[in-house]
Amino acid sequence: MNQTIFLIDMQSFFASVEQQKYGLAPGTPLVVSGAPSRPSGVILAASPEAKQAGITNGERLRDARLKCPNVRIVPPHMQDYLDWSLRITDIFETFTDQVEPYSIDEQFMDVSGSIRLFGSPEKTAAAVQEAVYQETGVYARVGIGDNKVLAKMACDLFAKKSSSGQARLTSDDVESRLWPLPVEKLFRAGAKMSRHLRMRGLQTIGDFAALKPEEVRSRWGIHGQVLWMNAQGVDHSPVTTETFSGQKAIGNGMTLPAEYVRLEDIELVLLELCDEVCSRARRELKAGITVSCGASGPAGGFHRSISMQEPSSAASAVFAAAASLLRRFWSGFPVRRIHVSLSGLSPDGCIQLNLFRDPGKQLASRELGYMTDRLHDRFGKHAVRRASSKLPASQFQERAQRIGGHFK
């Protein structure tokens, strides 16, 4: 059966949300920066008006102000972006029940069974665009394809440059429209792989597509084979609502405000990260058996893993494992970034009995975590917290105000 897949991208999503929140007049340039008061702050997102003035994502605020003195600068608000993304998902689900989030501002839709209601893929896409704009004020660009890869490349390579915000790329178009493009334009190629292909004389997507699949597999393995299939416009993966159901690990990390050199200070932040990781695991009703810990700084770093005796979602058990790695592999170098993750996930519905441990204490430790989560949900993260969060090295207060590294 022929498929019609959309990849829908929200234009300048973070900046567009901020424009709507502040009720700015049409044409007002706006940028989002994590440090609006610092000239060295980096731009995370720029509105179309700001981009027209020459401002780009990733550049410094001082340079942006020189290009556009009247630009409005605001901090990021991740909770708002998450809320708006969910609102947009709800809109998509009025067109089809096959909606797959790809990122916070991109989602796949399988409208194969819906286009008869609207007349054509293009008319369906226009109806989606209109619905999103009327409800949120955000412009949507739509890539239309026979599969997810073609829809993604249609959006990235053509729709974003189209006045209608739409583009269609079918299997019949691959040779004429896709193959002449530079190899850097190939979905998932990346800068390093693109340079590597060019050094081998493969200048266009068509050059790479002309290779035999056996040669591609022998030189670049599975990754190369996936890229070659992308170049052919082939993708057998369906649009699915279960994209994130097979999560293999849960982790968290942070960049510290300064270099930490005392073990007790590093361990304090590590404990707070373990609290967050275990809380996320419990929300998924998961426990993990493998703990990974990493720390890095200007003078070095490490990343190691260890397996616990049994799966756990208790912060005390995960921290004990992570701290053992820290004490073993940290050589005393100043630490600027620290990370912890929990993998080997399994359902958190039972406890492995141990002859040498009190099962009552095991159950109590598990239930304490779930009770803490319920208190946090009802009264906020500050309702119950560790006494150590009052210490100067703690990052609890800072992290409690953020989602995904940004202020809520």
Side-chain angles (χ1 to χ4, degrees):
M1 184 181 69
N2 292 331
Q3 287 185 308
T4 302
I5 308 298
F6 290 172
L7 184 281
I8 307 189
D9 169 81
M10 301 299 116
Q11 181 179 9
S12 304
F13 183 53
F14 291 5
S16 295
V17 171
E18 298 294 346
Q19 284 181 315
Q20 297 301 312
K21 283 172 49 186
Y22 286 99
L24 300 182
T28 303
L30 177 144
V31 296
V32 179
S33 173
S37 61
R38 299 177 184 174
S40 60
V42 175
I43 292 174
L44 304 176
S47 69
E49 297 83 2
K51 290 179 179 178
Q52 289 174 3
I55 297 174
T56 59
N57 294 346
E59 75 174 318
R60 303 291 181 181
L61 285 177
R62 65 168 71 93
D63 300 323
R65 285 195 176 100
L66 290 175
K67 296 177 180 178
C68 185
N70 66 326
V71 66
R72 179 77 174 267
I73 303 170
V74 300
H77 300 90
M78 187 56 63
Q79 184 63 61
D80 291 331
Y81 309 149
L82 292 171
D83 291 342
W84 283 56
S85 182
L86 292 173
R87 286 174 59 193
I88 291 169
T89 300
D90 290 340
I91 296 170
F92 293 163
E93 289 177 344
T94 65
F95 291 86
T96 174
D97 59 352
Q98 297 299 305
V99 179
E100 177 184 341
Y102 183 67
S103 67
I104 194 171
D105 62 345
E106 292 179 296
Q107 301 190 48
F108 286 108
M109 296 174 62
D110 185 341
V111 295
S112 305
S114 306
I115 53 177
R116 295 179 184 178
L117 299 173
F118 299 94
S120 70
E122 288 78 11
K123 289 184 178 180
T124 304
V128 173
Q129 289 173 296
E130 179 66 17
V132 171
Y133 182 73
Q134 291 297 328
E135 178 70 23
T136 68
V138 177
Y139 287 100
R141 284 86 62 94
V142 185
I144 308 169
D146 299 340
N147 55 49
K148 289 162 70 174
V149 160
L150 289 175
K152 172 65 174 171
M153 290 193 286
C155 185
D156 289 349
L157 302 177
F158 304 109
K160 293 181 180 181
K161 302 175 183 177
S162 168
S163 59
S164 67
Q166 291 185 23
R168 190 174 185 181
L169 190 63
T170 68
S171 300
D172 295 334
D173 299 326
V174 168
E175 184 174 353
S176 61
R177 299 182 64 194
L178 189 62
W179 285 2
L181 298 177
V183 72
E184 289 84 0
K185 300 294 185 179
L186 179 59
F187 178 48
R188 294 195 183 102
K192 186 175 181 180
M193 185 63 174
S194 298
R195 287 195 301 269
H196 180 71
L197 294 177
R198 280 195 173 273
M199 290 177 64
R200 291 182 173 272
L202 306 173
Q203 306 300 315
T204 67
I205 296 176
D207 292 338
F208 181 56
L211 297 177
K212 295 182 178 180
E214 297 81 8
E215 180 184 1
V216 173
R217 281 196 301 271
S218 64
R219 285 188 177 183
W220 298 292
I222 296 298
H223 177 61
Q225 184 175 358
V226 172
L227 288 180
W228 185 83
M229 291 178 67
N230 290 347
Q232 301 287 339
V234 175
D235 182 9
H236 301 297
S237 62
V239 173
T240 174
T241 58
E242 305 297 326
T243 301
F244 300 106
S245 62
Q247 189 173 12
K248 296 182 178 179
I250 297 173
N252 220 328
M254 74 170 300
T255 299
L256 300 169
E259 294 178 357
Y260 279 31
V261 295
R262 298 199 316 162
L263 177 62
E264 54 266 39
D265 292 342
I266 301 171
E267 286 188 333
L268 173 55
V269 177
L270 183 64
L271 175 59
E272 293 173 346
L273 291 175
C274 289
D275 279 331
E276 293 184 25
V277 167
C278 290
S279 178
R280 288 173 54 195
R282 291 190 296 267
R283 291 180 188 281
E284 300 293 332
L285 299 179
K286 298 290 187 181
I289 197 167
T290 301
V291 178
S292 300
C293 176
S296 61
F302 74 87
H303 186 275
R304 294 290 189 275
S305 300
I306 190 172
S307 293
M308 300 182 288
Q309 291 184 345
E310 59 193 23
S312 178
S313 64
S316 57
V318 174
F319 171 70
S324 70
L325 293 171
L326 176 66
R327 297 186 189 111
R328 181 178 177 185
F329 295 104
W330 179 58
S331 61
F333 58 83
V335 173
R336 192 62 193 272
R337 178 163 182 82
I338 191 166
H339 180 271
V340 64
S341 66
L342 186 63
S343 58
L345 302 177
S346 60
D348 193 22
C350 59
I351 288 179
Q352 177 65 49
L353 295 179
N354 189 319
L355 291 175
F356 304 100
R357 293 184 60 188
D358 182 350
K361 290 184 178 179
Q362 290 178 266
L363 284 168
S365 178
R366 176 180 178 276
E367 290 306 313
L368 177 62
Y370 282 98
M371 177 58 73
T372 302
D373 293 339
R374 289 193 288 269
L375 291 171
H376 286 165
D377 289 341
R378 184 172 181 181
F379 300 108
K381 284 191 174 182
H382 291 83
V384 178
R385 54 177 166 167
R386 297 179 183 272
S388 58
S389 67
K390 294 290 188 178
L391 295 174
S394 170
Q395 294 300 302
F396 175 86
Q397 184 71 24
E398 178 76 7
R399 295 186 67 79
Q401 302 178 61
R402 293 177 180 258
I403 293 180
H406 302 296
F407 286 107
K408 297 177 183 178

